[in-house]
Each structure stands twice: as structure tokens, then as C-alpha cells.
Amino acid sequence: MIVSLVVAMSTNNAIGKDNQLLWHLPADLKHFKDITSGHTIIMGRKTYESVGKALPNRRNIVITRNTHLKLTGVEVMHSLKEALNSSKEENEVFIIGGAEIFNQSIKLANKIYLTRINESYEADTFFPEIDKNCWLESELEHHLPDEKNALSYSFSTLTSN
Ligand SMILES: NC(=O)c1ccc[n+]([C@@H]2O[C@H](COP(=O)([O-])OP(=O)(O)OC[C@H]3O[C@@H](n4cnc5c(N)ncnc54)[C@H](OP(=O)(O)O)[C@@H]3O)[C@@H](O)[C@H]2O)c1
């Protein structure tokens, strides 16, 4: 099973503030949907609350330490290990954040789907530093702002050495 992280971050590794995303970038939402649709996504409880619902056409797993939590349309699990074990028959599983879950999973991951927003943001949640010795970046695709997307950004894929 390939364990993949999917993240959008700014030049200063910011991913969120006040339990929300820092930007509105429709092209990245489409990119995220294209990558994850039809697959299992694993997220932390705070990211689930930020999204507010199960994402359609995907198996949604939410990780929490709260053993009483019940959510509609979502499988609630109590550790990353439990979530990954429950997905081990799959070819690829997608960990979609947030920072707490990325911090715990980056060492286990084989792949990172990275959207880099070419701005710096004040934030309260950050992606861990990517060690350039451990990851090989490929398929870099640059995009300039357009009528729907006010920011400049790039898509790339990183694979672990
Ligand atoms: N830019 C992006 O790509 C991106 C992607 C996702 C999220 N975000 C942003 O990131 C922020 C949220 O990230 P966050 O770090 O605050 O929270 P998070 O990682 O989404 O969720 C943290 C919660 O997950 C549960 N958890 C964490 N580790 C666990 C473990 N080992 N076992 C069981 N449960 C565990 C706990 O839930 P309980 O407290 O319920 O026990 C914990 O409070 C938001 O601002 C969101 O918008 C950005």
C-alpha cells in the first residue's frame, strides 16, 4: 500500500489558521478531488470539523482520541495505525491532514502530493519541514493567477528515497 499525504502549503509551510484554510483556490480543490476521489482519505478530527462533512465519493476516516465520538458518513478510528491497518488491502491511501496528523505520518509516507502557494501567510498550523535528502520532487507544474484563481501556485509530487 502506498501511503500518500496531500497538502497545500504556503512558502512558509503554513497550512491553516483558526481551523480554516488560508486561501480559496478552486484549482487546488479540483486537484484534491481528482487525486482522492474513489479512495480512502484519513484526517484528524479538527480537519473534519473544518470541512464540516464527509467528502463524497470517498471512504472517510476521522481520527480522534474521543471514544464516544460518532459522525455521519465517516468511520471514526482512534489511531493512525488503526486507520492504516483498515486500508491495507488498498493500492494507495491518502492522508489529508491537518498538521498533527501530518507530523505523525510524514515518516511513514511514500508520497506527497504538494500544492505550493507562492505567498507567505501568518498561520497557526504548519506542515513539517520536508527533508530534501529524503524526498525526490517531480512533475512540477507552475500556474499563474487567472480569473478564477487569484494566486500563483504549483503542483508537484514528492516520492520518498
Ligand atoms: N492546507 C492543507 O492542505 C490542509 C489540510 C488539512 C487541514 N488543514 C488545516 O489544518 C488545521 C487543522 O490541523 P490540526 O493540526 O489543528 O488538527 P488535525 O490534525 O486535523 O486534528 C487533530 C486531532 O486529531 C486527533 N488526533 C491526532 N493525533 C491522534 C492520535 N495519534 N490518535 C488519535 N487521535 C489523534 C485529535 O482529535 P481529538 O481532539 O478529537 O482527540 C486531535 O485533536 C486547520 O486549520 C485546517 O484548515 C490544512
Side-chain angles (χ1 to χ4, degrees), residues 49-134:
E49 282 188 356
S50 168
V51 176
K53 60 178 170 75
L55 291 173
N57 307 317
R58 279 148 279 197
R59 177 182 175 220
N60 287 239
I61 298 178
V62 172
I63 303 180
T64 175
R65 295 185 179 90
N66 177 352
T67 51
H68 303 292
L69 186 67
K70 294 208 180 353
L71 301 168
T72 307
V74 158
E75 292 174 51
V76 175
M77 300 199 185
H78 303 102
S79 70
L80 191 56
K81 194 173 167 193
E82 183 188 359
L84 291 173
N85 272 340
S86 81
S87 314
K88 64 182 178 211
E89 304 301 325
E90 295 169 36
N91 288 338
E92 188 171 8
V93 64
F94 297 87
I95 297 175
I96 64 161
E100 266 193 59
I101 301 299
F102 286 142
N103 271 314
Q104 295 172 47
S105 57
I106 191 165
K107 286 201 165 64
L108 310 169
N110 312 104
K111 205 166 171 180
I112 303 173
Y113 294 87
L114 171 63
T115 300
R116 183 73 82 170
I117 313 292
N118 297 327
E119 294 278 342
S120 180
Y121 288 84
E122 200 190 299
D124 59 19
T125 37
F126 296 85
F127 194 79
E129 208 51 54
I130 295 176
D131 183 345
K132 293 237 160 59
N133 295 317
C134 301

